[in-house]
Amino acid sequence: MATKIRLQRGGRKGYAVYRIVIADARAPRDGRFTEKIGMYNPNTNPATVELNFDRALYWVEVGAQPTDTVRNILKREGVYMMKHLKGGVKKGAFDEAAAQAKFDAWKQTKEKGLNAVRENESKAKKEAVAKELEAEKAINEAIAKKVADKKAAAATAQAEAEAAQAAEEAAPAEA
């Protein structure tokens, strides 16, 4: 039986969320599967991956063939890196502790990169909100100025009308 590591679609229309599953190569995309080893959400920035690392590593070592997308996900999560390091341990290039240290260093570097992306994204959102707020304040000030000008013009017109009426009342009284 040829096993594949593939994505199984879920979520709603226009907002796909995928399960990472182990399935028979002949099974349909959303059909029967052997084991669920994770979730993949491409809608977030960066994409969110929840993976059972040990099971994924087991299935890759056993020979399950991942699809292209799943292979990229597994590489990004370090499954193939750990497989490579375990191969070095089997050949005697280094011991298990050195392999784990190399993997941990690689994982920390990867996490720093992801955190930088998240921080840049949040900073960009905050800047966009601040620009929007400044633009709204400028618009509100312009509207307030127009309203004040209208009120001043109306007050001036009313004062002129009262002065004209007082002048008309004073003119007949003199005559």
Side-chain angles (χ1 to χ4, degrees):
M1 173 176 96
T3 55
K4 295 240 297 165
I5 305 173
R6 64 164 45 140
L7 296 177
Q8 188 176 53
R9 192 181 195 287
R12 65 176 190 268
K13 182 178 176 182
Y15 193 86
V17 178
Y18 299 93
R19 287 191 249 174
I20 302 170
V21 297
I22 309 300
D24 185 3
R26 298 167 292 182
R29 178 189 73 177
D30 296 337
R32 185 188 296 200
F33 61 91
T34 307
E35 181 180 355
K36 175 187 165 192
I37 61 171
M39 291 288 292
Y40 169 61
N41 184 359
N43 301 306
T44 59
N45 186 14
T48 307
V49 177
E50 298 171 14
L51 186 67
N52 185 339
F53 189 85
D54 295 331
R55 293 305 293 169
L57 182 62
Y58 165 79
W59 282 106
V60 168
E61 288 177 340
V62 167
Q65 294 297 311
T67 60
D68 293 338
T69 306
V70 173
R71 181 179 292 113
N72 290 334
I73 291 170
L74 294 177
K75 282 181 182 178
R76 189 174 71 208
E77 292 298 310
V79 172
Y80 279 97
M81 177 72 156
M82 184 55 91
K83 179 184 176 193
H84 173 73
L85 291 172
K86 281 191 172 185
V89 169
K90 286 179 185 175
K91 291 179 183 176
F94 42 84
D95 63 342
E96 186 72 34
Q100 189 63 42
K102 286 183 180 184
F103 180 75
D104 291 339
W106 177 85
K107 193 70 170 175
Q108 284 180 348
T109 305
K110 199 72 160 170
E111 285 297 320
K112 285 181 184 176
L114 287 176
N115 288 338
V117 168
R118 287 186 189 111
E119 287 175 14
N120 289 340
E121 188 73 24
S122 66
K123 186 185 287 185
K125 283 182 182 180
K126 287 179 182 177
E127 289 175 0
V129 168
K131 283 183 180 180
E132 198 173 298
L133 183 62
E134 290 297 322
E136 189 174 339
K137 282 181 181 179
I139 291 171
N140 286 343
E141 288 174 4
I143 290 172
K145 185 177 180 192
K146 285 181 184 179
V147 168
D149 289 345
K150 278 187 179 181
K151 285 184 179 180
T156 305
Q158 187 177 1
E160 288 176 3
E162 289 176 0
Q165 186 179 8
E168 286 179 12
E169 291 175 0
E174 291 178 6

